């Protein structure tokens, strides 16, 4: 049935951008997310454009639900070419000594353990077929901590280490591993971080033209489209007026 990409957190932001970009590139899609309504809307839109779509509603933090969803995948959809581990979030911007335990759990369970769960469930099939590509959405935050970023930065540093470790583990195969590390991306990311405080979220992007989900999706698609002997191991992609995780020029 042609090339297949599985994208977690596909209902908004970078995940939705990846779904639309890979659909334009001729991939059929397995899209996952927690919001059944948004999944169905995206599925119908993409199918209307000629893409075959399988929608699986579950939270990557729930390992049993993830296993059941993957077990549900029909045989015709099992030869997954690209896994995009995109599901992730930031919660809070407090000093570490004032952090919220539930925020920490949600970030660690989603950004690290959820990514590991999907990797464990999907990559063995790639190894067996000696073909596949894992694209993990990391962050510039994984390169160095910033004020208030503590646990979120730690989770994205873990994404880098996990990506590097997996690349070593699959080096004897044709399976490729890419870590895409965006800087400021204007999605609902900051709204989630600040628990729905739109005014505070808007300040994150004040005075700068940030990246958007489609920009990051283009990078992911480029990595997946490289010749089979080329492995784009890591990409740091920033807005033009952002130098790193902390240096940002604002007009």
């Amino acid at each position: 049935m042609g090339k297949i990409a599985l994208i977690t957190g596909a209902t908004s932001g970078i995940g939705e951008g990846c779904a639309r970009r890979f659909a334009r590139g001729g991939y059929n899609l397995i899209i996952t997310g927690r919001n059944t309504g948004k999944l169905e809307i995206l599925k119908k839109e993409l199918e209307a454009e000629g893409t075959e779509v399988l929608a699986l509603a579950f939270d990557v933090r729930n390992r049993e639900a993830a296993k059941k969803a993957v077990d549900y995948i029909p045989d015709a959809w099992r030869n997954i070419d690209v896994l995009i581990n995109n599901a992730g979030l930031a919660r809070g911007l407090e000093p570490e000594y004032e952090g919220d335990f539930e925020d920490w759990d949600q970030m660690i369970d989603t950004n690290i353990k959820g990514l590991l769960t999907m990797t464990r469930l999907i990559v063995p099939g790639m190894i067996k077929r000696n073909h596949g590509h894992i694209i993990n959405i990391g962050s510039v935050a994984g390169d160095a901590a910033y004020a208030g970023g503590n646990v979120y930065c730690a989770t994205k540093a873990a994404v880098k280490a996990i990506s590097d470790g997996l690349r070593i583990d699959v080096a004897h195969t044709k399976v490729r591993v890419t870590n895409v590390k965006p800087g400021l991306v204007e999605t609902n990311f900051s709204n989630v971080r600040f628990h729905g405080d739109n005014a505070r979220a808007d300040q994150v992007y004040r005075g700068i033209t940030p990246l958007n989900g489609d920009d990051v999706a283009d990078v992911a698609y480029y990595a997946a489209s490289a010749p089979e002997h080329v492995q784009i191991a890591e990409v740091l992609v920033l807005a033009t007026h952002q130098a790193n995780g902390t240096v940002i020029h604002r007009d």
Side-chain angles (χ1 to χ4, degrees):
M1 66 178 301
K3 298 178 293 184
I4 299 170
L6 190 160
I7 303 166
T8 67
T11 55
S12 64
I14 294 171
E16 182 181 352
C18 285
R20 296 185 186 281
R21 182 66 187 89
F22 277 74
R24 290 199 305 274
Y27 282 79
N28 296 309
L29 302 177
I30 303 173
I31 55 173
T32 86
R34 294 176 295 171
N35 189 314
T36 304
K38 286 185 177 181
L39 275 176
E40 285 304 314
I41 290 170
L42 180 60
K43 173 181 165 69
K44 288 179 181 178
E45 286 183 12
L46 294 172
E47 286 178 335
E49 297 168 0
T51 301
E52 292 191 49
V53 181
L54 178 65
L56 302 175
F58 66 94
D59 188 334
V60 295
R61 293 180 295 170
N62 187 330
R63 189 170 295 152
E64 288 306 312
K67 287 180 179 178
K68 287 180 181 178
V70 171
D71 287 343
Y72 170 81
I73 296 174
D75 289 343
W77 287 84
R78 289 196 169 273
N79 292 345
I80 295 165
D81 298 279
V82 179
L83 167 63
I84 302 179
N85 279 316
N86 164 75
L89 77 168
R91 282 290 199 181
L93 201 64
E94 295 83 17
E96 191 169 320
Y97 56 85
E98 294 178 353
D100 183 280
F101 290 114
E102 290 186 8
D103 285 351
W104 291 353
D105 285 344
Q106 192 171 4
M107 287 186 283
I108 292 168
D109 290 347
T110 305
N111 301 359
I112 302 176
K113 294 166 72 175
L115 180 150
L116 284 170
T117 293
M118 295 307 298
T119 300
R120 181 65 181 85
L121 293 174
I122 302 301
V123 174
M126 294 180 173
I127 300 297
K128 185 176 181 180
R129 296 187 299 274
N130 197 30
H131 170 78
H133 195 159
I134 304 93
I135 300 175
N136 293 330
I137 305 300
S139 173
V140 64
D143 288 348
Y146 55 76
N150 43 76
V151 174
Y152 174 70
C153 293
T155 66
K156 290 304 183 177
V159 171
K160 172 176 170 52
I162 289 166
S163 302
D164 291 347
L166 180 60
R167 196 177 302 111
I168 293 167
D169 291 338
V170 302
H172 64 292
T173 75
K174 293 181 180 179
V175 176
R176 301 182 293 184
V177 182
T178 299
N179 180 20
V180 178
K181 306 187 302 184
L184 282 177
V185 185
E186 189 166 14
T187 63
N188 65 342
F189 174 88
S190 290
N191 184 277
V192 171
R193 161 168 264 171
F194 298 128
H195 300 272
D197 187 336
N198 293 324
R200 192 175 178 194
D202 289 344
Q203 286 301 305
V204 174
Y205 311 110
R206 175 186 52 79
I208 185 172
T209 302
L211 305 172
N212 58 49
D214 294 339
D215 296 326
V216 182
D218 282 339
V219 175
Y221 185 79
Y222 170 78
S225 303
E228 191 173 50
H229 70 285
V230 177
Q231 180 170 215
I232 309 297
E234 188 171 288
V235 181
L236 175 64
V237 53
L238 305 172
T240 299
H241 292 305
Q242 178 177 16
N244 56 32
T246 56
V247 178
I248 299 169
H249 174 75
R250 302 181 188 272
D251 292 332

